[in-house]
Amino acid sequence: MAKKEKTAKTNNELSDAELKQQQDLARANSLQGKNQPLVTNIYTADPSAHVFEGKIFIYPSHDIETDACTNDDGDQFAMRDYHVLSVDSDTGTATDHGVALSVDDIPWAEKQLWAPDAASKNGRYYFYFPARDYNGIFRIGVAVSDNPAGPFKAEENYIKGTYSIDPAVFEDKDGSHYMYWGGIWGGQLQNWRNGQYDADDVYPADDEPAYAPLVAKLSDDMLQLAETPKAILIYDENGDLLCAGDNDRRFFEASWLHEYQGKYYFSYSTGDTHKIVYAIGDNPYGPFTYQGVILNPVLGWTNHHSIAKYKDQWFLFYHDSSLSQGQTHLRCVKMSELTHDENGLIKTIDAYR
Ligand code: FUB
């Protein structure tokens, strides 16, 4: 005890980041039982949930231990395969269906299998995922299966016209599928100018519009983009585009789209301010108007989510780093009920309360 008191840093000696991590960890530990990790046999993150064949399936990243250094490019997220999870509606327990796709079986991808998503059409299942190609550039690929749990077989090449990360696929009422994607920093949106990759990072000035996420309709066979990607415009309450310096509200990564009572909700992570926020529009392309926070910061740096309806109840799927006692690159997926109020606004969730 005496030794511990001698070596431990006092709160005054901790950096702000260390202090925040300690406080978050203490809060997470004191609330064990609130939302538990869905699986504990592996580390999982970036959960994209869908109801397929009457059951909730979750398509997460599979976090692993790594020697790669931690940096703003996200080299510490060195994932090499994907597992699919499903949730038993009676018991709420999740099943890990094992490896659904490995980087060794993706001809164009070298490393870093980041946040994926899946879609279904005519009894087949399509798995969309970002990875770095052999030039170090993030692209988005697709793999196909007859089973929602996989295994999936990857196409030979990435989807033409795609770059950056975090695909999310939304099926509209008419059966059309739209893919949303993009991310800054490690997500490389800041490296694309006029359709060309440039290794130099260029960001807008703080008072200029922030980098926009992208959307494109998918082709009938679900394997290509059916159109040139369009920028998603997100406006504030005054009708101005969110600016790059508006770190509390501007797009960073983790796109998701859901429809509620005829309105389209585009949600995303604010990255360095660690929130999941949302904006509402009248159609899948937007424009969207910023509304507020869905999920306050969780334990760990990243915040990434999905939203799905199961048996008349809406759920938020998210992750935090509680399973690894706060290690940002070793996360665990969780779920929580989500509520739209009588005006269609989403009640903010605090994972610690
Ligand atoms: O899991 C790797 C990356 O971290 C994801 O692609 C981002 O959304 C963030 O969660």
Side-chain angles (χ1 to χ4, degrees), residues 172-210:
D172 204 4
K173 292 180 288 252
D174 65 358
S176 303
H177 289 83
Y178 297 84
M179 188 163 81
Y180 299 79
W181 73 96
I184 59 173
W185 292 25
Q188 300 181 339
L189 269 186
Q190 72 282 358
N191 298 114
W192 286 88
R193 286 172 275 290
N194 304 318
Q196 297 293 317
Y197 179 84
D198 180 337
D200 286 337
D201 290 349
V202 175
Y203 290 96
D206 281 359
D207 60 353
E208 291 177 348

Side-chain angles (χ1 to χ4, degrees), residues 251-305:
F251 174 80
F252 189 100
E253 62 189 6
S255 297
W256 190 259
L257 195 99
H258 75 279
E259 186 257 345
Y260 178 75
Q261 295 188 344
K263 295 283 186 191
Y264 294 82
Y265 290 59
F266 180 72
S267 48
Y268 55 94
S269 167
T270 60
D272 54 350
T273 51
H274 318 290
K275 289 181 280 196
I276 300 296
V277 299
Y278 73 110
I280 295 180
D282 292 325
N283 70 75
Y285 292 108
F288 297 92
T289 302
Y290 181 86
Q291 301 295 325
V293 177
I294 294 177
L295 178 62
N296 278 324
V298 297
L299 180 65
W301 199 96
T302 63
N303 204 347
H304 191 125
H305 72 303

Side-chain angles (χ1 to χ4, degrees), residues 45-46 61 63 77 79 114-115 165-166 253-254 302-304 319 331:
D46 310 323
S61 301
D63 286 351
F77 299 109
M79 301 82 115
W114 283 13
I165 59 166
D166 290 3
E253 62 189 6
T302 63
N303 204 347
H304 191 125
H319 68 223
R331 300 161 289 181

Side-chain angles (χ1 to χ4, degrees), residues 65-71 74-78 112 329:
E65 309 264 6
T66 176
D67 292 333
C69 62
T70 295
N71 55 33
D75 289 352
Q76 63 275 28
F77 299 109
Q112 290 186 285
H329 67 295

Side-chain angles (χ1 to χ4, degrees), residues 178-246:
Y178 297 84
M179 188 163 81
Y180 299 79
W181 73 96
I184 59 173
W185 292 25
Q188 300 181 339
L189 269 186
Q190 72 282 358
N191 298 114
W192 286 88
R193 286 172 275 290
N194 304 318
Q196 297 293 317
Y197 179 84
D198 180 337
D200 286 337
D201 290 349
V202 175
Y203 290 96
D206 281 359
D207 60 353
E208 291 177 348
Y211 279 125
L214 298 162
V215 57
K217 198 182 249 200
L218 291 174
S219 56
D220 281 345
D221 66 5
M222 303 289 279
L223 301 177
Q224 300 294 332
L225 304 183
E227 59 190 358
T228 304
K230 300 175 184 5
I232 294 174
L233 302 181
I234 309 171
Y235 290 97
D236 68 12
E237 64 283 7
N238 301 315
D240 296 321
L241 284 171
L242 294 184
C243 285
D246 189 350

